[in-house]
Each structure stands twice: as structure tokens, then as C-alpha cells.
Amino acid sequence: MTQKATVKDGSTSVQVAGDMSVGLTFENCERLFNLLLQENFPRLEAVAAQKAKENVDKLVSATYKKLDERLDQIEVSKLAEPDVQSTFNSAVQGAAKKGDKIDINLLSELLQSRLEKDNDDYVDNCIESAVDIIPKLTNELLCVLPVVHFVQSLSFSDESVINIIFTQLNQHYLSQCNAVTANKLKTIASSGAGNYINIMGGNTLEDSFKKRYPILDTPDVNSKFPNVVSFLAQYDKLELHKLSLTTAGQVIAVKMLEKVFGKMSIKDCVQ
């Protein structure tokens, strides 16, 4: 991997001393986040400063837990690289300002992914953009992303679990999107997670899913696969086809879909 030697505009490179480059302790992780917090918010009033620190502490705990669980998959030494610290810097700013209004767990998942050994520069850049987007979207709008990415771009091989998969996708994500409007889709697009295209829709079940999953091509599809039929009908009703995801939006979607499908490769699931 080619390492970048520059720091992004508005961010600070923080030199981390000690054993950060060869190991990982909670204290070192916490020190890095707190240094970034101090660089970004040096003059906050006491109450605001305390709240910002509490918010960042949640990010520290969530991120350290994920890093510690996956030490075999990451390169801790990347924490000393300027572009990695720039990504962590963006996460600290978002967490400090928004706290529980953003998905801290999702943000920490992206930070863990940024340190994975198998990343190339393309994946790293997509993750960096995704980190910037998270604080801009509510949970409702974030839930649109895995639904859109799954319907438009992904598939699974075991058709026998199709009803279960769609039940889980609805439970975790689509059921949170029932109030999504065209303007909200445009908001997602403005965040950098997607592109809004005002095009006519169709019948997703008939037009694509019966071809993608032959098991659905049956006259009694409504009774055999009610969860699939209702899911795709709601997708069409909300006109989610009008949103196409950017690579950054796809990265977020992939990390969210891990709740349903388990560990997924970002490299394999973004286009």
C-alpha cells in the first residue's frame, strides 16, 4: 500500500509516542482521541467541553473494543499515519458535536475498517469519505442506505433463507424508513452518500428480483414469500430507486448490512 504523507485541510497530525505502532492499549487509544479533541475544541465552555468529552469517550470505548477484537485483521501502526489520523480527526469532530444523535457504533466500525490490513488506497479513500458523512445523516436516513444497496447491487446464494433475510432487513432498516420522502432522499444525496435521479419506477419484484432469485418466479409468490413481496412493495412505494449510492454510501451500507449477513468485505461490495 502506498502511504500518503499529507494531512487534509482543517485537520491535525498528532504524534503518538510509546508503543502505539507495535501494540494497542486502551490508554494509547484514549490519548489519541483526546489529543484530537483538544486540537479541535480548545476553547469550549466548561459544560460544553465536558459534554464533548463524554461523547468522544463513547467513541473511544466502542472503537477500542472493535480494534481489540480484531487485532489479527488490522495494522495498529497505521494509527501513526497522517491520513489515518485525519480520518480519526473527522470522527472525533462528529462525535464531539453530535453525541447520541449519530451512530457511534457505526462510526467506530468504519474506524476499525480504516485500519484493516487488506485495504488498498481506493477502499481507504471510500472509508474516509464515509466517516465524514455519518454525522450528516439521521438514523432514518442512514437506514435507507443498506436497503438501497442490497436491492440495487447485492445478492445472496442461499434462496432457502430468503424470507428470513428480508424479515431481518425490514426489521433493522426498511421499517425505519416509512416516512422517507423525495426531499429526504435529496438530503442523502447532498451529504455525499448518493445521487438523486428523478426517474420513473417500476415493479422491482417482477422487473428484477424474479430473475435474480428464480425461487420467487412462482404463481403463489404472495403466499410463499410474503416478507419479500411486502418489502419490495414498500421499496417501490417509497421510490427508493431514485437514489443511487456513491462508493462512500456503499461503504456505510456494507457495514450496516453486517448486522444481517455477518462480516462483509468492503472491497468486494463496493462498485
Side-chain angles (χ1 to χ4, degrees), residues 157-203:
S157 57
D158 187 359
E159 293 187 351
S160 67
V161 297
I162 195 167
N163 256 327
I164 297 173
I165 292 296
F166 275 83
T167 298
Q168 292 179 354
L169 288 170
N170 181 66
Q171 175 186 342
H172 293 305
Y173 304 121
L174 186 61
S175 62
Q176 314 301 314
C177 304
N178 292 330
V180 167
T181 61
N183 284 336
K184 289 182 179 180
L185 294 179
K186 292 175 184 177
T187 297
I188 295 174
S190 70
S191 75
N195 297 294
Y196 181 82
I197 308 172
N198 191 12
I199 55 176
M200 293 292 292
N203 185 318

mmCIF file of all heavy atoms in Angstrom, residues 157-203:
data_model
loop_
_atom_site.group_PDB
_atom_site.id
_atom_site.type_symbol
_atom_site.label_atom_id
_atom_site.label_comp_id
_atom_site.label_asym_id
_atom_site.label_seq_id
_atom_site.Cartn_x
_atom_site.Cartn_y
_atom_site.Cartn_z
ATOM 1 N N SER A 157 -26.694 -16.295 -2.045
ATOM 2 C CA SER A 157 -26.813 -17.540 -2.806
ATOM 3 C C SER A 157 -27.818 -18.536 -2.243
ATOM 4 O O SER A 157 -28.368 -19.345 -2.987
ATOM 5 C CB SER A 157 -25.439 -18.220 -2.905
ATOM 6 O OG SER A 157 -24.908 -18.464 -1.614
ATOM 7 N N ASP A 158 -28.076 -18.496 -0.954
ATOM 8 C CA ASP A 158 -28.944 -19.498 -0.333
ATOM 9 C C ASP A 158 -30.401 -19.037 -0.368
ATOM 10 O O ASP A 158 -30.873 -18.335 0.532
ATOM 11 C CB ASP A 158 -28.494 -19.755 1.106
ATOM 12 C CG ASP A 158 -29.242 -20.905 1.769
ATOM 13 O OD1 ASP A 158 -30.135 -21.484 1.111
ATOM 14 O OD2 ASP A 158 -28.942 -21.220 2.931
ATOM 15 N N GLU A 159 -31.118 -19.436 -1.395
ATOM 16 C CA GLU A 159 -32.501 -18.980 -1.559
ATOM 17 C C GLU A 159 -33.435 -19.523 -0.483
ATOM 18 O O GLU A 159 -34.516 -18.980 -0.278
ATOM 19 C CB GLU A 159 -33.019 -19.377 -2.939
ATOM 20 C CG GLU A 159 -32.328 -18.649 -4.081
ATOM 21 C CD GLU A 159 -32.979 -18.930 -5.424
ATOM 22 O OE1 GLU A 159 -33.857 -19.820 -5.494
ATOM 23 O OE2 GLU A 159 -32.638 -18.245 -6.409
ATOM 24 N N SER A 160 -33.027 -20.577 0.209
ATOM 25 C CA SER A 160 -33.902 -21.177 1.217
ATOM 26 C C SER A 160 -34.141 -20.255 2.411
ATOM 27 O O SER A 160 -35.115 -20.441 3.151
ATOM 28 C CB SER A 160 -33.309 -22.504 1.712
ATOM 29 O OG SER A 160 -32.109 -22.291 2.441
ATOM 30 N N VAL A 161 -33.267 -19.261 2.601
ATOM 31 C CA VAL A 161 -33.416 -18.354 3.744
ATOM 32 C C VAL A 161 -33.930 -16.988 3.310
ATOM 33 O O VAL A 161 -33.857 -16.026 4.062
ATOM 34 C CB VAL A 161 -32.079 -18.202 4.507
ATOM 35 C CG1 VAL A 161 -31.644 -19.532 5.089
ATOM 36 C CG2 VAL A 161 -30.985 -17.627 3.603
ATOM 37 N N ILE A 162 -34.492 -16.906 2.113
ATOM 38 C CA ILE A 162 -34.851 -15.609 1.556
ATOM 39 C C ILE A 162 -35.883 -14.871 2.411
ATOM 40 O O ILE A 162 -35.781 -13.655 2.612
ATOM 41 C CB ILE A 162 -35.336 -15.764 0.098
ATOM 42 C CG1 ILE A 162 -35.356 -14.399 -0.586
ATOM 43 C CG2 ILE A 162 -36.680 -16.494 0.010
ATOM 44 C CD1 ILE A 162 -35.507 -14.491 -2.097
ATOM 45 N N ASN A 163 -36.882 -15.599 2.949
ATOM 46 C CA ASN A 163 -37.872 -14.936 3.789
ATOM 47 C C ASN A 163 -37.248 -14.404 5.069
ATOM 48 O O ASN A 163 -37.590 -13.319 5.552
ATOM 49 C CB ASN A 163 -39.018 -15.896 4.126
ATOM 50 C CG ASN A 163 -40.274 -15.596 3.320
ATOM 51 O OD1 ASN A 163 -40.555 -14.449 3.007
ATOM 52 N ND2 ASN A 163 -41.020 -16.641 2.985
ATOM 53 N N ILE A 164 -36.321 -15.172 5.640
ATOM 54 C CA ILE A 164 -35.641 -14.753 6.873
ATOM 55 C C ILE A 164 -34.811 -13.502 6.621
ATOM 56 O O ILE A 164 -34.839 -12.540 7.406
ATOM 57 C CB ILE A 164 -34.752 -15.889 7.414
ATOM 58 C CG1 ILE A 164 -35.600 -17.094 7.793
ATOM 59 C CG2 ILE A 164 -33.929 -15.407 8.614
ATOM 60 C CD1 ILE A 164 -34.795 -18.322 8.183
ATOM 61 N N ILE A 165 -34.065 -13.505 5.511
ATOM 62 C CA ILE A 165 -33.214 -12.361 5.178
ATOM 63 C C ILE A 165 -34.050 -11.094 5.036
ATOM 64 O O ILE A 165 -33.721 -10.037 5.599
ATOM 65 C CB ILE A 165 -32.438 -12.621 3.872
ATOM 66 C CG1 ILE A 165 -31.411 -13.738 4.067
ATOM 67 C CG2 ILE A 165 -31.764 -11.341 3.384
ATOM 68 C CD1 ILE A 165 -30.318 -13.428 5.048
ATOM 69 N N PHE A 166 -35.150 -11.184 4.311
ATOM 70 C CA PHE A 166 -35.966 -9.991 4.094
ATOM 71 C C PHE A 166 -36.680 -9.557 5.372
ATOM 72 O O PHE A 166 -36.911 -8.360 5.572
ATOM 73 C CB PHE A 166 -36.961 -10.242 2.957
ATOM 74 C CG PHE A 166 -36.381 -9.990 1.603
ATOM 75 C CD1 PHE A 166 -35.636 -10.965 0.960
ATOM 76 C CD2 PHE A 166 -36.552 -8.775 0.979
ATOM 77 C CE1 PHE A 166 -35.081 -10.741 -0.291
ATOM 78 C CE2 PHE A 166 -36.012 -8.524 -0.270
ATOM 79 C CZ PHE A 166 -35.267 -9.521 -0.905
ATOM 80 N N THR A 167 -37.003 -10.492 6.231
ATOM 81 C CA THR A 167 -37.590 -10.129 7.526
ATOM 82 C C THR A 167 -36.606 -9.308 8.342
ATOM 83 O O THR A 167 -36.958 -8.283 8.940
ATOM 84 C CB THR A 167 -37.987 -11.394 8.314
ATOM 85 O OG1 THR A 167 -38.980 -12.108 7.584
ATOM 86 C CG2 THR A 167 -38.551 -11.030 9.676
ATOM 87 N N GLN A 168 -35.355 -9.742 8.361
ATOM 88 C CA GLN A 168 -34.336 -9.022 9.121
ATOM 89 C C GLN A 168 -34.028 -7.658 8.514
ATOM 90 O O GLN A 168 -33.851 -6.667 9.232
ATOM 91 C CB GLN A 168 -33.068 -9.875 9.204
ATOM 92 C CG GLN A 168 -33.228 -11.122 10.044
ATOM 93 C CD GLN A 168 -31.961 -11.957 10.100
ATOM 94 O OE1 GLN A 168 -30.977 -11.672 9.426
ATOM 95 N NE2 GLN A 168 -31.992 -12.992 10.922
ATOM 96 N N LEU A 169 -33.960 -7.601 7.190
ATOM 97 C CA LEU A 169 -33.727 -6.320 6.524
ATOM 98 C C LEU A 169 -34.842 -5.331 6.818
ATOM 99 O O LEU A 169 -34.598 -4.134 7.011
ATOM 100 C CB LEU A 169 -33.595 -6.531 5.016
ATOM 101 C CG LEU A 169 -32.317 -7.207 4.526
ATOM 102 C CD1 LEU A 169 -32.440 -7.577 3.056
ATOM 103 C CD2 LEU A 169 -31.111 -6.308 4.756
ATOM 104 N N ASN A 170 -36.061 -5.825 6.878
ATOM 105 C CA ASN A 170 -37.189 -4.960 7.210
ATOM 106 C C ASN A 170 -37.137 -4.523 8.673
ATOM 107 O O ASN A 170 -37.325 -3.348 8.995
ATOM 108 C CB ASN A 170 -38.505 -5.675 6.935
ATOM 109 C CG ASN A 170 -39.699 -4.799 7.258
ATOM 110 O OD1 ASN A 170 -39.924 -3.780 6.614
ATOM 111 N ND2 ASN A 170 -40.466 -5.180 8.272
ATOM 112 N N GLN A 171 -36.866 -5.477 9.544
ATOM 113 C CA GLN A 171 -36.825 -5.179 10.980
ATOM 114 C C GLN A 171 -35.771 -4.137 11.319
ATOM 115 O O GLN A 171 -36.027 -3.182 12.056
ATOM 116 C CB GLN A 171 -36.545 -6.464 11.753
ATOM 117 C CG GLN A 171 -36.372 -6.258 13.252
ATOM 118 C CD GLN A 171 -35.941 -7.543 13.962
ATOM 119 O OE1 GLN A 171 -36.081 -8.637 13.422
ATOM 120 N NE2 GLN A 171 -35.400 -7.399 15.151
ATOM 121 N N HIS A 172 -34.574 -4.313 10.773
ATOM 122 C CA HIS A 172 -33.466 -3.421 11.120
ATOM 123 C C HIS A 172 -33.503 -2.098 10.360
ATOM 124 O O HIS A 172 -33.110 -1.059 10.910
ATOM 125 C CB HIS A 172 -32.130 -4.111 10.848
ATOM 126 C CG HIS A 172 -31.850 -5.276 11.738
ATOM 127 N ND1 HIS A 172 -31.856 -5.191 13.115
ATOM 128 C CD2 HIS A 172 -31.546 -6.568 11.444
ATOM 129 C CE1 HIS A 172 -31.571 -6.371 13.634
ATOM 130 N NE2 HIS A 172 -31.383 -7.218 12.652
ATOM 131 N N TYR A 173 -33.962 -2.124 9.106
ATOM 132 C CA TYR A 173 -33.764 -0.957 8.258
ATOM 133 C C TYR A 173 -35.026 -0.410 7.578
ATOM 134 O O TYR A 173 -35.409 0.730 7.831
ATOM 135 C CB TYR A 173 -32.689 -1.273 7.202
ATOM 136 C CG TYR A 173 -31.399 -1.716 7.835
ATOM 137 C CD1 TYR A 173 -30.843 -2.957 7.542
ATOM 138 C CD2 TYR A 173 -30.740 -0.915 8.771
ATOM 139 C CE1 TYR A 173 -29.673 -3.378 8.141
ATOM 140 C CE2 TYR A 173 -29.567 -1.325 9.382
ATOM 141 C CZ TYR A 173 -29.041 -2.567 9.070
ATOM 142 O OH TYR A 173 -27.904 -2.982 9.685
ATOM 143 N N LEU A 174 -35.682 -1.187 6.742
ATOM 144 C CA LEU A 174 -36.782 -0.623 5.958
ATOM 145 C C LEU A 174 -37.907 -0.103 6.835
ATOM 146 O O LEU A 174 -38.520 0.933 6.532
ATOM 147 C CB LEU A 174 -37.326 -1.665 4.970
ATOM 148 C CG LEU A 174 -38.383 -1.143 3.985
ATOM 149 C CD1 LEU A 174 -37.806 -0.030 3.109
ATOM 150 C CD2 LEU A 174 -38.922 -2.268 3.124
ATOM 151 N N SER A 175 -38.182 -0.771 7.956
ATOM 152 C CA SER A 175 -39.252 -0.318 8.848
ATOM 153 C C SER A 175 -38.956 1.043 9.458
ATOM 154 O O SER A 175 -39.868 1.713 9.956
ATOM 155 C CB SER A 175 -39.475 -1.343 9.967
ATOM 156 O OG SER A 175 -38.316 -1.477 10.769
ATOM 157 N N GLN A 176 -37.688 1.462 9.430
ATOM 158 C CA GLN A 176 -37.306 2.771 9.956
ATOM 159 C C GLN A 176 -37.435 3.875 8.901
ATOM 160 O O GLN A 176 -37.186 5.046 9.195
ATOM 161 C CB GLN A 176 -35.848 2.739 10.454
ATOM 162 C CG GLN A 176 -35.476 1.534 11.300
ATOM 163 C CD GLN A 176 -36.319 1.399 12.540
ATOM 164 O OE1 GLN A 176 -36.537 2.383 13.252
ATOM 165 N NE2 GLN A 176 -36.807 0.189 12.800
ATOM 166 N N CYS A 177 -37.791 3.484 7.678
ATOM 167 C CA CYS A 177 -37.769 4.425 6.553
ATOM 168 C C CYS A 177 -39.150 4.830 6.049
ATOM 169 O O CYS A 177 -39.265 5.459 4.985
ATOM 170 C CB CYS A 177 -37.004 3.802 5.373
ATOM 171 S SG CYS A 177 -35.336 3.261 5.742
ATOM 172 N N ASN A 178 -40.197 4.490 6.775
ATOM 173 C CA ASN A 178 -41.549 4.680 6.259
ATOM 174 C C ASN A 178 -41.930 6.140 6.017
ATOM 175 O O ASN A 178 -42.859 6.419 5.259
ATOM 176 C CB ASN A 178 -42.569 4.029 7.197
ATOM 177 C CG ASN A 178 -42.458 2.514 7.189
ATOM 178 O OD1 ASN A 178 -42.082 1.920 6.187
ATOM 179 N ND2 ASN A 178 -42.767 1.880 8.318
ATOM 180 N N ALA A 179 -41.224 7.064 6.665
ATOM 181 C CA ALA A 179 -41.537 8.482 6.477
ATOM 182 C C ALA A 179 -40.570 9.164 5.505
ATOM 183 O O ALA A 179 -40.544 10.389 5.398
ATOM 184 C CB ALA A 179 -41.507 9.210 7.821
ATOM 185 N N VAL A 180 -39.781 8.380 4.800
ATOM 186 C CA VAL A 180 -38.819 8.950 3.857
ATOM 187 C C VAL A 180 -39.553 9.549 2.658
ATOM 188 O O VAL A 180 -40.454 8.925 2.091
ATOM 189 C CB VAL A 180 -37.808 7.879 3.391
ATOM 190 C CG1 VAL A 180 -37.007 8.369 2.195
ATOM 191 C CG2 VAL A 180 -36.872 7.519 4.526
ATOM 192 N N THR A 181 -39.158 10.757 2.292
ATOM 193 C CA THR A 181 -39.767 11.477 1.172
ATOM 194 C C THR A 181 -38.702 11.785 0.122
ATOM 195 O O THR A 181 -37.505 11.546 0.329
ATOM 196 C CB THR A 181 -40.367 12.802 1.655
ATOM 197 O OG1 THR A 181 -39.298 13.606 2.199
ATOM 198 C CG2 THR A 181 -41.418 12.576 2.739
ATOM 199 N N ALA A 182 -39.154 12.354 -0.979
ATOM 200 C CA ALA A 182 -38.212 12.748 -2.031
ATOM 201 C C ALA A 182 -37.195 13.752 -1.494
ATOM 202 O O ALA A 182 -35.998 13.685 -1.813
ATOM 203 C CB ALA A 182 -38.967 13.334 -3.220
ATOM 204 N N ASN A 183 -37.654 14.687 -0.674
ATOM 205 C CA ASN A 183 -36.733 15.680 -0.121
ATOM 206 C C ASN A 183 -35.689 15.040 0.791
ATOM 207 O O ASN A 183 -34.532 15.476 0.829
ATOM 208 C CB ASN A 183 -37.505 16.752 0.648
ATOM 209 C CG ASN A 183 -38.187 17.735 -0.272
ATOM 210 O OD1 ASN A 183 -37.776 17.917 -1.422
ATOM 211 N ND2 ASN A 183 -39.232 18.392 0.215
ATOM 212 N N LYS A 184 -36.082 14.001 1.521
ATOM 213 C CA LYS A 184 -35.126 13.315 2.375
ATOM 214 C C LYS A 184 -34.115 12.529 1.547
ATOM 215 O O LYS A 184 -32.937 12.427 1.912
ATOM 216 C CB LYS A 184 -35.855 12.410 3.363
ATOM 217 C CG LYS A 184 -36.609 13.184 4.440
ATOM 218 C CD LYS A 184 -37.278 12.267 5.449
ATOM 219 C CE LYS A 184 -37.998 13.070 6.524
ATOM 220 N NZ LYS A 184 -38.663 12.189 7.527
ATOM 221 N N LEU A 185 -34.560 11.981 0.435
ATOM 222 C CA LEU A 185 -33.620 11.317 -0.463
ATOM 223 C C LEU A 185 -32.627 12.325 -1.035
ATOM 224 O O LEU A 185 -31.435 12.024 -1.200
ATOM 225 C CB LEU A 185 -34.364 10.615 -1.596
ATOM 226 C CG LEU A 185 -35.257 9.427 -1.207
ATOM 227 C CD1 LEU A 185 -35.947 8.858 -2.447
ATOM 228 C CD2 LEU A 185 -34.458 8.342 -0.501
ATOM 229 N N LYS A 186 -33.109 13.523 -1.312
ATOM 230 C CA LYS A 186 -32.214 14.578 -1.798
ATOM 231 C C LYS A 186 -31.219 14.991 -0.716
ATOM 232 O O LYS A 186 -30.073 15.346 -1.016
ATOM 233 C CB LYS A 186 -33.036 15.783 -2.265
ATOM 234 C CG LYS A 186 -33.870 15.516 -3.508
ATOM 235 C CD LYS A 186 -34.765 16.698 -3.858
ATOM 236 C CE LYS A 186 -35.665 16.386 -5.056
ATOM 237 N NZ LYS A 186 -36.596 17.503 -5.357
ATOM 238 N N THR A 187 -31.658 14.940 0.538
ATOM 239 C CA THR A 187 -30.745 15.234 1.649
ATOM 240 C C THR A 187 -29.625 14.210 1.716
ATOM 241 O O THR A 187 -28.454 14.547 1.943
ATOM 242 C CB THR A 187 -31.515 15.254 2.986
ATOM 243 O OG1 THR A 187 -32.486 16.307 2.959
ATOM 244 C CG2 THR A 187 -30.570 15.475 4.161
ATOM 245 N N ILE A 188 -29.973 12.942 1.522
ATOM 246 C CA ILE A 188 -28.947 11.898 1.484
ATOM 247 C C ILE A 188 -27.961 12.184 0.363
ATOM 248 O O ILE A 188 -26.742 12.081 0.540
ATOM 249 C CB ILE A 188 -29.595 10.508 1.294
ATOM 250 C CG1 ILE A 188 -30.460 10.146 2.502
ATOM 251 C CG2 ILE A 188 -28.525 9.444 1.066
ATOM 252 C CD1 ILE A 188 -31.252 8.861 2.332
ATOM 253 N N ALA A 189 -28.488 12.572 -0.789
ATOM 254 C CA ALA A 189 -27.621 12.877 -1.923
ATOM 255 C C ALA A 189 -26.697 14.056 -1.610
ATOM 256 O O ALA A 189 -25.506 14.031 -1.932
ATOM 257 C CB ALA A 189 -28.466 13.171 -3.154
ATOM 258 N N SER A 190 -27.237 15.067 -0.950
ATOM 259 C CA SER A 190 -26.432 16.253 -0.639
ATOM 260 C C SER A 190 -25.324 15.955 0.368
ATOM 261 O O SER A 190 -24.331 16.668 0.433
ATOM 262 C CB SER A 190 -27.322 17.377 -0.116
ATOM 263 O OG SER A 190 -27.826 17.073 1.181
ATOM 264 N N SER A 191 -25.485 14.883 1.136
ATOM 265 C CA SER A 191 -24.458 14.516 2.120
ATOM 266 C C SER A 191 -23.244 13.870 1.470
ATOM 267 O O SER A 191 -22.187 13.739 2.086
ATOM 268 C CB SER A 191 -25.043 13.525 3.147
ATOM 269 O OG SER A 191 -25.173 12.224 2.581
ATOM 270 N N GLY A 192 -23.404 13.444 0.223
ATOM 271 C CA GLY A 192 -22.322 12.744 -0.464
ATOM 272 C C GLY A 192 -22.495 11.239 -0.481
ATOM 273 O O GLY A 192 -21.668 10.519 -1.039
ATOM 274 N N ALA A 193 -23.592 10.746 0.116
ATOM 275 C CA ALA A 193 -23.817 9.298 0.186
ATOM 276 C C ALA A 193 -24.508 8.749 -1.048
ATOM 277 O O ALA A 193 -24.525 7.532 -1.254
ATOM 278 C CB ALA A 193 -24.647 8.959 1.419
ATOM 279 N N GLY A 194 -25.097 9.627 -1.864
ATOM 280 C CA GLY A 194 -25.819 9.116 -3.026
ATOM 281 C C GLY A 194 -26.063 10.184 -4.071
ATOM 282 O O GLY A 194 -25.647 11.341 -3.926
ATOM 283 N N ASN A 195 -26.732 9.764 -5.124
ATOM 284 C CA ASN A 195 -27.159 10.675 -6.188
ATOM 285 C C ASN A 195 -28.664 10.501 -6.370
ATOM 286 O O ASN A 195 -29.162 9.369 -6.434
ATOM 287 C CB ASN A 195 -26.443 10.352 -7.495
ATOM 288 C CG ASN A 195 -24.944 10.552 -7.385
ATOM 289 O OD1 ASN A 195 -24.465 11.673 -7.219
ATOM 290 N ND2 ASN A 195 -24.189 9.466 -7.479
ATOM 291 N N TYR A 196 -29.368 11.619 -6.437
ATOM 292 C CA TYR A 196 -30.818 11.577 -6.623
ATOM 293 C C TYR A 196 -31.128 11.742 -8.101
ATOM 294 O O TYR A 196 -30.701 12.705 -8.741
ATOM 295 C CB TYR A 196 -31.499 12.683 -5.827
ATOM 296 C CG TYR A 196 -33.006 12.673 -5.950
ATOM 297 C CD1 TYR A 196 -33.782 11.823 -5.173
ATOM 298 C CD2 TYR A 196 -33.650 13.511 -6.871
ATOM 299 C CE1 TYR A 196 -35.166 11.795 -5.297
ATOM 300 C CE2 TYR A 196 -35.028 13.496 -6.998
ATOM 301 C CZ TYR A 196 -35.783 12.632 -6.210
ATOM 302 O OH TYR A 196 -37.155 12.607 -6.349
ATOM 303 N N ILE A 197 -31.852 10.771 -8.648
ATOM 304 C CA ILE A 197 -32.215 10.810 -10.057
ATOM 305 C C ILE A 197 -33.734 10.667 -10.150
ATOM 306 O O ILE A 197 -34.288 9.631 -9.767
ATOM 307 C CB ILE A 197 -31.545 9.675 -10.842
ATOM 308 C CG1 ILE A 197 -30.035 9.667 -10.587
ATOM 309 C CG2 ILE A 197 -31.816 9.822 -12.336
ATOM 310 C CD1 ILE A 197 -29.322 8.473 -11.162
ATOM 311 N N ASN A 198 -34.401 11.678 -10.646
ATOM 312 C CA ASN A 198 -35.862 11.680 -10.691
ATOM 313 C C ASN A 198 -36.354 10.890 -11.903
ATOM 314 O O ASN A 198 -36.674 11.437 -12.956
ATOM 315 C CB ASN A 198 -36.382 13.114 -10.736
ATOM 316 C CG ASN A 198 -37.881 13.182 -10.506
ATOM 317 O OD1 ASN A 198 -38.504 12.202 -10.089
ATOM 318 N ND2 ASN A 198 -38.470 14.334 -10.764
ATOM 319 N N ILE A 199 -36.396 9.567 -11.741
ATOM 320 C CA ILE A 199 -36.815 8.700 -12.832
ATOM 321 C C ILE A 199 -38.038 7.891 -12.404
ATOM 322 O O ILE A 199 -38.285 7.681 -11.220
ATOM 323 C CB ILE A 199 -35.688 7.738 -13.243
ATOM 324 C CG1 ILE A 199 -35.205 6.930 -12.032
ATOM 325 C CG2 ILE A 199 -34.540 8.498 -13.871
ATOM 326 C CD1 ILE A 199 -34.165 5.883 -12.364
ATOM 327 N N MET A 200 -38.774 7.432 -13.389
ATOM 328 C CA MET A 200 -39.961 6.613 -13.117
ATOM 329 C C MET A 200 -39.539 5.247 -12.589
ATOM 330 O O MET A 200 -38.518 4.694 -12.995
ATOM 331 C CB MET A 200 -40.786 6.430 -14.393
ATOM 332 C CG MET A 200 -41.417 7.703 -14.904
ATOM 333 S SD MET A 200 -42.714 8.311 -13.796
ATOM 334 C CE MET A 200 -43.948 7.030 -13.993
ATOM 335 N N GLY A 201 -40.321 4.721 -11.667
ATOM 336 C CA GLY A 201 -40.033 3.407 -11.127
ATOM 337 C C GLY A 201 -40.866 2.337 -11.804
ATOM 338 O O GLY A 201 -41.613 2.601 -12.747
ATOM 339 N N GLY A 202 -40.728 1.116 -11.313
ATOM 340 C CA GLY A 202 -41.488 0.015 -11.864
ATOM 341 C C GLY A 202 -41.885 -0.934 -10.753
ATOM 342 O O GLY A 202 -42.137 -0.518 -9.623
ATOM 343 N N ASN A 203 -41.914 -2.205 -11.076
ATOM 344 C CA ASN A 203 -42.226 -3.247 -10.111
ATOM 345 C C ASN A 203 -40.940 -4.032 -9.869
ATOM 346 O O ASN A 203 -40.546 -4.849 -10.701
ATOM 347 C CB ASN A 203 -43.334 -4.150 -10.658
ATOM 348 C CG ASN A 203 -43.795 -5.181 -9.648
ATOM 349 O OD1 ASN A 203 -42.999 -5.787 -8.947
ATOM 350 N ND2 ASN A 203 -45.105 -5.384 -9.570
#
